[in-house]
Amino acid sequence: MEIKNRVKELRAKHSLTQGALAERVNVTRQTIVAMEKGSYIPSLLLAMNIARTFNLPIEEIFYLEDEEK
């Protein structure tokens, strides 16, 4: 299984740049870039801050995807 996310989609929907989202959740823009590419899995604290930013439950942003698909 692999952890996927909807960060890029939600960021665009809310008209946020990678830098603006990074500033809101107190990480670097590079962290947001890596997360959107799927090469970085956020800590629980960061995932909660992102969920709070978009006013969504964590599981609507981060989800498991079966690698066999």
Side-chain angles (χ1 to χ4, degrees), residues 21-62:
L21 177 58
E23 193 172 303
R24 286 189 184 192
V25 297
N26 200 31
V27 296
T28 65
R29 186 185 67 78
Q30 289 82 3
T31 299
I32 301 300
V33 169
M35 198 180 323
E36 289 181 357
K37 287 182 179 180
S39 60
Y40 176 80
I41 298 171
S43 67
L44 181 56
L45 179 60
L46 177 53
M48 291 176 78
N49 284 336
I50 291 169
R52 184 176 292 151
T53 297
F54 294 127
N55 198 30
L56 291 171
I58 289 176
E59 59 272 13
E60 286 190 27
I61 302 170
F62 299 94

Side-chain angles (χ1 to χ4, degrees), residues 10-21 24 53-54:
L10 292 166
R11 183 178 57 73
K13 181 179 175 183
H14 290 265
S15 301
L16 289 172
T17 64
Q18 291 169 331
L21 177 58
R24 286 189 184 192
T53 297
F54 294 127

